[in-house]
Amino acid sequence: MIKFMNIQIYWLAQSAKDAVKETAEDTKDIVSQITTGKVAQGILILLTAYTVLRILDKLILWLSEKIAKEWRLRVKQFLPFLRMVVLTTTIVVLMNLFLNLSKENILAVTGTVAVALGFAFKDYASSIIAGVVGLFESSYGVGDRVKIGENYGEVVSYGLRSVRIQTPDDNLITIPHNKIWTEAVSNANAGALEAQVVTEFYFAHEIDVNLVRKILYRVAQTSKYTALKLPIVVIIEEKPWGTMFKLKSYPLDARDEFVYKTDLTSRAKQAFAKHNFAYPRIFDVESAQSNKQ
């Protein structure tokens, strides 16, 4: 009986050893023989991919400015998808060039890459995954006016790892996609050409409310930037120091947000000056703030 058990244990150990040896032989040649020609091909592939990406960026942006205005943002939405296709194709071609991609080798490479990304590039991998998820959820796209955390501006580039937004001060900010896991994302137009603009005005309590409302409505209605098919609304709020008016309206193009706001403010103040409207006094504002404290 003991002899039979020893034979069985030996047979199991030998089988396990043979299996390990066979697996090692199948996967030992994951990396193919590297030659000067392959290195040159790899460099050429990378340069080609870089050139294609640059051409795509310029071509899509040029095309979006040449077609009808209402299609501009829709055309720009294709740019992240096309970039992802080019990058994925480049990675696959390079892997085929330098690796022996048998079934066993693919599993081995996938496992190794997964472990490396999990430990060494956790944030980078998280950003890439968030970028892919963002393509399907459409949290933001090129041309959208978004606020991510404390940063507000127009999305001008959607990369594999990050998004770039241009602020009203003309600063270019790069934000990793994984911010969508932890930060609130506010999208003003969500792919539409128009985005609501809120312009605030402040007056003393004794102001003629109805007259101010009529003036503000008229100012928005006669602006060359206003999208008249969308609503124009005037909201009134009472404050301890005076009365606040919010003029809510839409420009024809979201990119004209600040030009539009300036136009509304300057033309409204010209109209107010004709009626000698009283503005909140400084000491009223300071006393209201001190009372709150």
Side-chain angles (χ1 to χ4, degrees):
M1 182 69 177
I2 296 174
K3 184 177 180 181
F4 174 76
M5 290 179 64
N6 289 336
I7 293 173
Q8 190 176 24
I9 292 172
Y10 173 79
W11 179 82
L12 291 173
Q14 189 66 30
S15 298
K17 183 178 180 181
D18 292 341
V20 171
K21 183 178 180 181
E22 183 179 354
T23 303
E25 289 177 353
D26 290 338
T27 59
K28 67 181 180 180
D29 295 326
I30 292 178
V31 179
S32 63
Q33 184 178 2
I34 298 177
T35 63
T36 305
K38 286 187 177 182
V39 172
Q41 289 181 48
I43 295 174
L44 182 61
I45 290 169
L46 290 174
L47 290 175
T48 302
Y50 176 79
T51 303
V52 171
L53 288 174
R54 296 289 295 178
I55 292 174
L56 277 177
D57 287 345
K58 293 184 180 297
L59 179 62
I60 294 296
L61 294 177
W62 175 83
L63 182 62
S64 67
E65 298 297 334
K66 295 298 180 181
I67 62 174
K69 185 167 60 175
E70 57 268 21
W71 289 94
R72 188 185 73 235
L73 296 185
R74 296 184 184 182
V75 170
K76 286 184 176 181
Q77 303 301 326
F78 282 105
L79 187 56
F81 175 76
L82 293 175
R83 289 176 62 90
M84 185 176 69
V85 170
V86 172
L87 290 171
T88 302
T89 303
T90 303
I91 292 172
V92 171
V93 171
L94 289 174
M95 289 179 68
N96 278 315
L97 183 63
F98 291 104
L99 302 176
N100 293 319
L101 297 180
S102 64
K103 181 179 178 181
E104 293 78 8
N105 288 347
I106 289 175
L107 292 175
V109 171
T110 303
T112 303
V113 171
V115 172
L117 290 176
F119 288 97
F121 303 101
K122 180 178 64 175
D123 293 336
Y124 192 87
S126 177
S127 295
I128 292 177
I129 294 171
V132 175
V133 171
L135 285 176
F136 295 97
E137 289 190 349
S138 300
S139 302
Y140 42 71
V142 178
D144 287 349
R145 306 192 71 83
V146 300
K147 183 176 182 181
I148 304 176
E150 297 298 322
N151 301 305
Y152 175 76
E154 179 183 354
V155 177
V156 295
S157 174
Y158 192 114
L160 189 63
R161 184 195 69 87
S162 61
V163 62
R164 288 185 178 182
I165 65 174
Q166 191 167 24
T167 68
D169 297 328
D170 207 27
N171 294 324
L172 198 61
I173 300 178
T174 301
I175 303 175
H177 290 301
N178 62 359
K179 288 294 183 181
I180 66 174
W181 306 136
T182 57
E183 300 281 352
V185 179
S186 175
N187 196 323
N189 55 327
L193 196 60
E194 306 90 356
Q196 187 183 81
V197 171
V198 180
T199 311
E200 298 179 351
F201 300 89
Y202 308 95
F203 297 98
H205 286 299
E206 60 269 19
I207 200 73
D208 186 340
V209 173
N210 292 326
L211 181 57
V212 173
R213 288 184 62 185
K214 290 179 181 178
I215 292 174
L216 291 178
Y217 189 89
R218 184 62 179 167
V219 164
Q221 194 178 41
T222 56
S223 174
K224 65 180 181 180
Y225 298 101
T226 302
L228 296 176
K229 65 179 181 179
L230 296 173
I232 300 172
V233 180
V234 178
I235 304 297
I236 303 174
E237 291 185 22
E238 278 296 297
K239 301 291 184 179
W241 41 264
T243 304
M244 180 174 68
F245 292 79
K246 290 184 179 181
L247 174 59
K248 297 184 177 183
S249 53
Y250 295 79
L252 291 167
D253 194 330
R255 63 168 53 173
D256 294 329
E257 173 186 0
F258 298 102
V259 176
Y260 180 50
K261 198 168 186 177
T262 301
D263 178 66
L264 293 177
T265 302
S266 60
R267 293 170 62 246
K269 287 182 72 68
Q270 289 176 8
F272 296 151
K274 297 177 182 179
H275 298 277
N276 294 320
F277 287 152
Y279 292 94
R281 291 173 288 276
I282 295 179
F283 66 87
D284 289 339
V285 178
E286 292 177 346
S287 62
Q289 290 176 345
S290 61
N291 290 335
K292 286 183 179 181
Q293 296 175 353

